[in-house]
Each structure stands twice: as structure tokens, then as C-alpha cells.
Amino acid sequence: MLSHRYFVSIFLSTGLLTSKLSLAAPLFGFGSSDNSASTTAVSNDTVTSDFLRPALFSRVAYCSSDAVQSFQCGSPCDALGSHIDVFQVGGNDGTIPMYFIAHDPSTNTIVVAHQGTDPNNLLSILNDAKFGLVDLNTTRFTAADGKGIQVHDGFQQTFERTADGLLGILWENLDPSVQLTTSVFGLPRVGDQAWADFVDSSLGNTLSHITNQNDPVPTVPPEFLGFVHPSNEFHITGVDSNGQATGIIACPGQDNENCSTGNDILDASVANHLGPYFDDISFGASACPA
């Protein structure tokens, strides 16, 4: 049986995958975190070893299904090298977000890559007055039973639509004892304090959520509505004209005020959500037109 860690990882990846709703009063910002723990610089070697390949796979998720299935998507596919074995491509560009599962022979890993949505649409969803916290479906997250965890309603619905296809292929191809790592780019807040604690205890340091400069998406939904980020944020403080990160910091604890949580909404840049993040890697349809 697959560990509950896989369900947590996939749920986090659906935090960017939702359908469009009407825009209500903006609610991003208004942080209330009391975590101001000192940050530490992240080396270029760490970025290359830990974040680069996940980012390259995430970029490919924005290519067409046919291009991903054949792994003929031009420079985004070429950057990952040859012999990538794609097991499954799924989604419908609507209620079921596009994703693919592949074997990466260069690292001997199974990769699950999700496509995100247009950031303007995402902000509409996250700021809609109708969104709220609902009880986590513990029929999938059995380890969370009795913990009183609540998560974003829309994200949970998206997870439910995506999970069966993903988990089925993982069940067939993955040893449940294999080490799991999760890398997420531009993650919004997905659940409450109990959820953030559950993510921390389930994934620990195998989770990395990377935020980019003044991207407003990680600041929503707001903390005052009960939403909390898990730990292990890595925050990009600057990117030069060549698309190279000029500074990345590790942010201890949950919702560290020295990182994206402390961003001023007056400086918000939706463009930062798409990138570039580092190594001139951006996300979205324009990043992979194939």
C-alpha cells in the first residue's frame, strides 16, 4: 500500500490546479505570522542539485499532451536529456489539470509533474468570497483521521478529480518504500494549522516549496482566515536580466515573515509567479509552446 506521504505530496501539487471562479474582494496579504526566524543563504550548488531538475520537469507539464507523451517538445524536453520514459499523461485542461508521470533514468526516479493554471485565474479562485476550509477527506488520508484537519475546498475537489489516475499508475510502478521528495513552485496556502503540521510531520525536509520574489500567490488565502503554510520554504529574493537567481534563502518554520509571507501587497507582481525563477526557467503556456 502506498504511504500517506504520497497522498500529501499529490494534494500539495493540486494547490495550483483549479478552475476559474469570479473575482471577489481581494484578500491576499494581511499576514499575521509571528515567525521571524533568521534565514540562511542557499548555494548555487544546492539549487542545481535539489531544485533544477524538478523545475525542468514542471516546465514540460505546460506542453501539449502529444508532445509530452512522445517527449518531443523542443528545448524544454531537450534540457532534460534523452530516454525519459513517460508512463502516463492525463488531464483535460479544465476540471482535471494536465499532468504526466515519467521515469528519469539520469536519477533513477519516478517523476510526477503537474501543470498549474494562469495566475490571474488562480488569484480569482483564491480571493473568491465563497472559498473556505472544509474537513479533509480522511478516507484517502487515513493517517489524518481524528486530527481535525481542514483544507481549501476547491483544492480538495481538484485533488479528488486527479488522484485516482495518478495513484493508480504509481501503485503499479512504485515501490512504496522508495524515498519521496516533493518540490512545489509558487504554492498558495492549502489548509489550516493542523494541515501544515500534518505536512511537516509527513514530509519533513523532503518537501521544498519555492517562492519567487513578490509573487502574491503564496500569500493567499490569507492567514486571518485560518490558512497556514507548511515549513521548508525557499524564497528567491532577486532574478537578473538573464533569468538567473541572484539570491535564494532558506526560511525556517511555517510562514516566515522574512520570506514570501512578509511581502508587501503594494509590491505584488503576478509575473513573478510565472518566472523566471532560476536558470531562466519559467512556467506557463508561453514557456512551452509545443
Side-chain angles (χ1 to χ4, degrees), residues 6 8 10 42 88 99 104-105 108 117 142 192 198 211 221-222 276 284:
Y6 294 95
V8 175
I10 292 172
V42 175
Q88 178 177 315
Y99 67 87
D104 180 5
N108 195 27
T117 57
T142 55
D192 65 1
F198 182 62
T211 58

Side-chain angles (χ1 to χ4, degrees), residues 72-88:
Q72 299 292 320
C73 62
S75 58
C77 287
D78 294 343
L80 284 161
S82 58
H83 309 302
I84 300 294
D85 183 12
V86 178
F87 297 151
Q88 178 177 315

Side-chain angles (χ1 to χ4, degrees), residues 35-134:
N35 174 19
S36 58
S38 298
T39 62
T40 56
V42 175
S43 70
N44 289 333
D45 287 344
T46 296
V47 173
T48 299
S49 63
D50 295 356
F51 305 150
L52 178 57
R53 211 151 177 83
L56 291 171
F57 273 104
S58 296
R59 180 172 62 180
V60 170
Y62 290 89
C63 302
S64 69
S65 296
D66 289 344
V68 173
Q69 187 67 68
S70 63
F71 222 72
Q72 299 292 320
C73 62
S75 58
C77 287
D78 294 343
L80 284 161
S82 58
H83 309 302
I84 300 294
D85 183 12
V86 178
F87 297 151
Q88 178 177 315
V89 177
N92 61 11
D93 272 330
T95 57
I96 303 176
M98 302 299 292
Y99 67 87
F100 71 95
I101 306 172
H103 175 241
D104 180 5
S106 71
T107 56
N108 195 27
T109 55
I110 300 296
V111 177
V112 179
H114 259 291
Q115 182 186 98
T117 57
D118 179 274
N120 293 298
N121 292 349
L122 180 59
L123 287 174
S124 297
I125 298 157
L126 294 174
N127 288 291
D128 193 285
K130 296 180 181 178
F131 79 78
L133 289 163
V134 297

Side-chain angles (χ1 to χ4, degrees), residues 179-263:
Q179 182 179 353
L180 173 72
T181 61
T182 305
S183 301
V184 190
F185 300 90
L187 179 71
R189 297 188 182 96
V190 175
D192 65 1
Q193 181 68 66
W195 166 256
D197 292 343
F198 182 62
V199 172
D200 285 353
S201 64
S202 299
L203 301 183
N205 290 332
T206 66
L207 167 68
S208 301
H209 65 100
I210 297 95
T211 58
N212 188 24
Q213 302 176 90
N214 290 304
D215 176 7
V217 172
T219 69
V220 293
E223 293 180 274
F224 74 82
L225 292 181
F227 289 87
V228 181
H229 266 307
S231 302
N232 297 307
E233 176 185 1
F234 294 85
H235 183 61
I236 299 170
T237 58
V239 177
D240 66 21
S241 59
N242 295 315
Q244 300 294 334
T246 57
I248 303 180
I249 53 178
C251 313
Q254 300 170 345
D255 272 307
N256 192 313
E257 284 284 350
N258 293 313
C259 297
S260 63
T261 295
N263 281 352

